Structures are given as structure tokens and as C-alpha cells.
Amino acid sequence: MTGWTVTSPMAGTVVDLAVQVGDRLAPGTRLLSLESMKLDHPVEVTVGARVEQLLVATGDVVERGQDLARLVADATPDGDPATPGVVTAERAASDDERADLAQVLARRAALRDEARPEAVAARAERGRRTARANIEALVDPGSFQEFGGLAIAAQRRRREVDELIAQTPADGLVCGTATIAAVRVGPDAARCVVLAYDATVLAGTQGQVNHRKTDRLFELAAREQLPVVLFAEGGGGRPGDTDALGASWLTAAAFHLLARLSGRVPIIAIVDGCCFAGNAALAGCADVLIATEGSNIGMAGPAMIEGGGLGRVAPTDIGPIDVQRRNGVVDLVVRDDVEAVERAREVFALLRPAGHGDGYGDVEVAHADQTRLRALVPEDRRRIYDMRPVLTTFVDTDSCVELRPDAAPGMITALATIGGQPVGLLANDPHHLGGAIDAEGADSAVRHLALCEAHGLPVVVLCDTPGFMVGPDAERDGGVRRFAALFVAGARLTVPIVAVVVRKGYGLGAQAMLGGHLQVPVLTVAWPTGELGPMGLEGAVRLGYRRELDAIDDPDERAAAEARMIAEAQAHASALNVATYAEIDDVIDPADTRTRVLAALGRTGR
């Protein structure tokens, strides 16, 4: 038999002897363990052998190369002696032998919806998906990487840890990084941060630990310039946390961190259900807030309202959607969370123009027959028409997403693509006040221009306005400041504007629609129906020629004179006449609108 001496592979201390003299050892058997630098290093045999002599004892300090044991090798099945050897690394254990891995896998499995059937069923009864299901539907398959999933509520002083693990998974906030619409916008532009408060865990409230998670993700979004998508359902701050809370509770950084991201990266919030207090504060920071018809959004929930001495209020009476859609808080109202996620994906892609590939201008993009535009605005200047078909006809098919239609019915604000290029659309609706810009319309336009500027979206304006709304009511609404804000917003734009005067372009209101005046846009064109001037024709005639008209005694003759003056003024205000002064760049066939806009934006798409 072949014998050999096992020597120490390192300096260390013998912590235990696993064999005795005379023991026969199978390959892989551990002889002993050495402790070095607070780590145990097992010494194993690689061949069958017998222990002839042990040269150390437990507790001995040994040097590298020092003799540990004398072994005699067993013969191989064919009678030859085995090759001696030892190893100092433990054998790779199978998954079911690793207790540490098993514990981690069990904890991670407990986070999945399959491990929480009662919570899933409760959501389903309300017609809602879980937080994890919503994230799965939102992001590209397999792209979600969770942060802080093993977190639990900061309530160790009042509840057992095992209970918190079972009942407060992820501390009620599922969050991480992912990609959205990578095929459409490209892999870099698709990267984002996603957060979803889990209403099945402590009512989706904001706790000490999940605040750490929001802070972590918002800071990551700032560092990496990542868009944020937030599912904001929940009840605000959580009074039940007990662990190291401090005194004021006013050190939560999430609100500041998200607000700092505003204008730097796209922020989209989705609300399906009740969203109160801190959750609502975060949702209110979004560029685009999408909410379902059955949602309620408010800066305080029932408990806070009652605590403030304002009486008992049902959750459904606080900020219902029929209120929040009219005051401009909610940008998009949808049926349910399924549609909310679909619209969120659309809006995400529309706010990521930098990610669109260079090939967009080189491929055919679906759009309507452009000759339809010729018939959408009647030749009769007094006949009403619908502006929305104008918008949806000249942009790419099914790309138009209108924002806040109920808050400012006279001002259409929308996102769309034209030739694959995301753009912001701004248009007057003649159905409301004949297209006049009221205070709410000015506010909505200002918000929209700021959104476009923040995220690099060119602005396409379809103008049909007699000007700003005037009169005592307009002044009571703060018209001076709110109308002037539209000039300020236009002057701050660095993104290009393209202006199309569809019908009326009168007064200061028209100038504000165009960014300040006719030469601010990179292209200002009009349709044959266009007319431009310092004020509406009828008012201009009656004001400018009052003395002449008053001098005519006969009513019929006065009316005929007025009609003649209006006709003359109309001819002077016509787009064709204005073009002769080079005050606009062209009068075009409406069917050429798409082509001219694309060219002005430096695109060659069709």
C-alpha cells in the first residue's frame, strides 16, 4: 500500500478532528477542519484511504506545510494502489442540501402572488389586479428586477418577526428596475424605475422601511436618468410603525426626491382605488396621472379629516374622479387597471423621443388618407366643426393620447407621433366659447408646453381662436396672470414649434398659441380657411368704424354698410392676403399638412 503524509495547506488552528486512527475513508471524507481568519477550511481526502497516524489534536496551532496525518491508500478495484491526494475545499452541495439557500428561496417564494391566494382573491373580487400583476403587465417580459423585496414593516416592537414576514411582505411596496416598450423606443430609453404600493399589505400605506425603498429608487432614477412609473394606490403615512421613528416624522425624503425628478425624467402615476395623503402627494408630482373611474384621490383620508375636526367623511366622498377629472388633477381617466397599464405604456413611449431609432424617418408609418383634411373644416367660416378628427387624421394612426379633456374643454392638449416622432399637440376647440382661450384653457396649455419642453417634444399647434376670453368673469378668474403665463411658457421653449392656422388666428390669444408671435415657430402656415388679425372681424369693424356707422340713420343701410366693411376686413384678414405681406410662411393644401410638419421637424417619414 502507498502511504503519504497530509500537510497543512495554510496557517491556522485545528478546530476539530473528524476521524480516528484506523478509520477507512471514502473519497471526499473530511479529515479535519482548520480555522484561519475566522473561516473554517475543511481538509478532505480525494481517494479511499486508511488513517495510520494523527499528528495533531484539536486546538493545535499549525503552520503552512506542517504534517497533519499519515494515511495509507486503499487499492483500486483492479489491485493497483490509488493515487494519494487531499483537497481543502468543501464539496459542492446540491440545492436541497443548502439550508441557507433554501431559506432564501422560501422567503422569495412567499412574496409571489401564488403564495398569497386570499389577498389575490380579495383584489379580484374588487375587479383589481395585485401590485405584482400590474407591474408584470406594464414592463417588458422578464425585465423586472426587484429591490427590497425581503423588507418587512418597522413593527418589531409590537409584533413577532415571523408574523411580519408573513403579513407585511416587501413592507407593502413592490419596486425595482425594468424596461418598458424596448422594441419601440430602444433598450436604453426603455430603462425605468417602477414602484407599486400594495393595497393588500397595510392598505398600501407608507412606512419607515418602504420609505427607504422609495428613496433608494428615486435616487437611482436621478443618478441614471431613469423614468419613474408609480402605482400610487394607498392610504398615506402609516401610524402603526414603532421602530426608531424619531419625533416629527417630517424627515421622509421621498417627496423631495421625486419632486426633484420632475422635469428631468418622465414621471407617470397610476391610481386604481383610494389614494390619499402621502401617496397622493407623490402621484401629484407626475407629468401624467392616470386614474380609473372608481378611484378617489385626496391629500387626506377619512381619519385625517376626522382628526382635523372636519367630521366623518366616507372615502368615496373624497376626491372622486368626476371632481378630479374636471379640475385637472387627473390627466387620463380609464375604465380599469388593465386599460391604465395599456395607456401608461403608450404615454411612456411618447415621452421618450430620445430613444426612437434613426430609422423612423425611413420607414412607412401608418396614417390616414391626408386628402380627408380638405373636408374637415367647412368653407363657411360660421359653421362649427370638430377639431379632434383634424388631429387624428394628420398624425400617425392610433397614436394620439389626449390629456385633461374635461378640465379645459376649449384647449386640446395631446401627445402623438407623426412619422414616428413623438410630439405634443396644442389646439383650440371651437365647440367651447368659439375657441376663445379661457383661464382654464391657458393653464392647461401652460402645463402642456412645460411637459413638452421638459422631455424634448416638438410642439405642433393647430390654431383656431378669436383670442383670449374677455369680460368681468374672465377678470374674476385671474385672466391677466393666467393668460400672461402662456406667453411666458412659450418664451421658455427651446423645442421647435410648428404652427398651422386652421381657421381663426386673432389677437393676443393667437400670438400666445404660437409661442409669442407669428415668427416664433420654425414654420407658420395656414389653411385656405385661415384668417388672421388683431381682433375678431365683427368687433374690429364695429369698434373701428363706429363713427361712420352711427352717422347712417337708416337701419337697413347701416346694416348693409357694416356687412360690406366686414367683407372687406375678411378679405384683408384672409390667409392668402396675409401671406402677401410675408407674415406667415405659406398657405397650404390641408392634405400637405403632415408633409410640411415632418419637413419642419427635419423628418422625411411619410
Side-chain angles (χ1 to χ4, degrees):
M1 295 292 182
T2 301
W4 77 95
T5 300
V6 178
T7 59
S8 179
M10 65 191 70
T13 302
V14 179
V15 292
D16 74 332
L17 294 172
V19 299
Q20 297 178 354
V21 174
D23 286 353
R24 290 189 175 276
L25 311 180
T29 301
R30 182 171 63 88
L31 289 175
L32 52 83
S33 294
L34 298 172
E35 180 186 343
S36 178
M37 300 300 292
K38 305 297 183 181
L39 294 174
D40 288 343
H41 299 265
V43 179
E44 301 175 347
V45 296
T46 59
V47 297
R50 177 172 54 81
V51 181
E52 184 175 73
Q53 186 178 6
L54 291 173
L55 304 176
V56 293
T58 300
D60 287 355
V61 177
V62 298
E63 299 296 328
R64 180 182 176 86
Q66 182 175 331
D67 293 346
L68 300 177
R70 178 75 183 169
L71 303 182
V72 177
D74 284 341
T76 61
D78 59 7
D80 295 328
T83 302
V86 297
V87 294
T88 58
E90 216 169 335
R91 291 177 296 110
S94 61
D95 290 349
D96 57 359
E97 292 175 326
R98 292 292 302 263
D100 55 353
L101 178 59
Q103 182 182 24
V104 170
L105 295 177
R107 286 285 304 278
R108 291 174 62 85
L111 300 176
R112 296 197 294 263
D113 284 347
E114 294 85 343
R116 308 175 64 233
E118 293 182 0
V120 173
R123 292 291 286 178
E125 287 178 4
R126 295 176 174 85
R128 296 189 171 111
R129 295 187 296 204
T130 64
R132 291 183 182 277
N134 275 325
I135 289 178
E136 183 179 0
L138 173 72
V139 306
D140 297 333
S143 69
F144 181 63
Q145 301 297 314
E146 186 168 2
F147 282 48
L150 299 178
I152 58 176
Q155 298 181 5
R156 288 173 170 84
R157 292 175 59 186
R158 55 183 291 209
R159 303 169 71 177
E160 295 294 328
V161 170
D162 286 346
E163 179 188 358
L164 293 172
I165 291 172
Q167 297 187 12
T168 66
D171 195 27
L173 178 71
V174 183
C175 60
T177 59
T179 64
I180 296 174
V183 172
R184 179 173 175 184
V185 305
D188 291 336
R191 295 177 61 227
C192 63
V193 162
V194 181
L195 309 95
Y197 285 99
D198 187 346
T200 71
V201 177
L202 302 175
T205 49
Q206 296 172 330
Q208 179 184 2
V209 176
N210 72 31
H211 263 310
R212 291 195 190 109
K213 293 167 63 173
T214 56
D215 295 354
R216 166 71 167 144
L217 269 296
F218 293 159
E219 288 171 345
L220 181 64
R223 188 163 66 241
E224 298 293 319
Q225 291 295 289
L226 302 179
V228 176
V229 182
L230 170 69
F231 292 87
E233 179 187 7
R238 181 190 305 158
D241 281 4
T242 58
D243 305 342
L245 293 178
S248 70
W249 290 24
L250 301 181
T251 57
F255 312 104
H256 172 72
L257 293 172
L258 186 60
R260 286 183 61 188
L261 288 172
S262 179
R264 298 173 59 191
V265 301
I267 304 173
I268 300 170
I270 301 169
V271 175
D272 180 28
C274 290
C275 176
F276 297 139
N279 294 57
L282 293 180
C285 292
D287 294 306
V288 178
L289 200 169
I290 304 169
T292 59
E293 294 171 346
S295 295
N296 292 79
I297 305 173
M299 287 303 294
M304 187 179 296
I305 292 171
E306 184 176 358
L310 301 176
R312 292 188 176 183
V313 181
T316 52
D317 291 333
I318 302 171
I321 289 303
D322 62 348
V323 170
Q324 304 290 30
R325 71 192 305 169
R326 288 178 172 81
N327 63 18
V329 167
V330 173
D331 298 286
L332 278 171
V333 178
V334 295
R335 294 185 307 276
D336 52 27
D337 53 10
V338 174
E339 185 182 1
V341 167
E342 292 173 352
R343 301 312 291 274
R345 285 181 61 87
E346 294 175 18
V347 171
F348 181 93
L350 290 168
L351 293 178
R352 300 299 282 158
H356 286 70
D358 293 335
Y360 263 103
D362 304 322
V363 297
E364 187 73 26
V365 180
H367 58 81
D369 178 359
Q370 296 300 288
T371 60
R372 297 178 187 171
L373 291 170
R374 294 171 177 164
L376 292 180
V377 177
E379 188 174 1
D380 181 353
R381 65 187 297 270
R382 297 180 61 85
R383 185 176 171 188
I384 196 67
Y385 69 97
D386 190 348
M387 178 66 83
R388 286 173 178 81
V390 176
L391 296 175
T392 57
T393 298
F394 92 91
V395 301
D396 297 343
T397 301
D398 296 330
S399 72
C400 190
V401 177
E402 186 175 353
L403 306 177
R404 299 182 300 280
D406 301 305
M411 185 69 69
I412 301 173
T413 54
L415 303 172
T417 61
I418 178 167
Q421 164 72 53
V423 298
L425 300 177
L426 191 66
N428 309 105
D429 186 350
H431 280 92
H432 180 77
L433 302 176
I437 303 171
D438 57 12
E440 291 75 18
D443 289 347
S444 188
V446 167
R447 281 179 59 182
H448 199 55
L449 293 179
L451 174 70
C452 295
E453 173 67 13
H455 304 302
L457 300 180
V459 178
V460 180
V461 176
L462 276 74
C463 179
D464 182 2
T465 182
F468 288 123
M469 193 64 192
V470 296
D473 289 342
E475 303 314 325
R476 276 190 288 269
D477 289 338
V480 170
R481 286 285 190 178
R482 295 165 83 176
F483 296 156
L486 188 49
F487 281 106
V488 174
R492 288 177 175 172
L493 289 180
T494 61
V495 295
I497 310 174
V498 179
V500 182
V501 180
V502 174
R503 184 180 270 173
K504 296 177 182 178
Y506 287 115
L508 292 172
Q511 286 192 231
M513 284 292 295
L514 306 183
H517 58 79
L518 286 170
Q519 278 73 54
V520 170
V522 296
L523 177 71
T524 303
V525 297
W527 285 5
T529 47
E531 49 189 68
L532 303 91
M535 63 185 299
L537 299 180
E538 292 82 355
V541 167
R542 290 163 187 160
L543 182 64
Y545 295 93
R546 176 180 297 172
R547 178 185 297 178
E548 290 84 344
L549 292 173
D550 287 347
I552 302 174
D553 294 328
D554 182 82
D556 294 336
E557 185 179 345
R558 187 187 312 116
E562 181 179 326
R564 184 172 60 256
M565 292 176 183
I566 291 173
E568 292 171 355
Q570 183 179 349
H572 184 73
S574 71
L576 275 175
N577 186 61
V578 173
T580 67
Y581 293 85
E583 292 180 354
I584 59 176
D585 299 310
D586 207 352
V587 180
I588 65 172
D589 179 348
D592 292 335
T593 303
R594 179 182 174 89
T595 301
R596 295 299 296 267
V597 170
L598 281 168
L601 297 179
R603 294 278 173 160
T604 59
R606 297 175 290 282

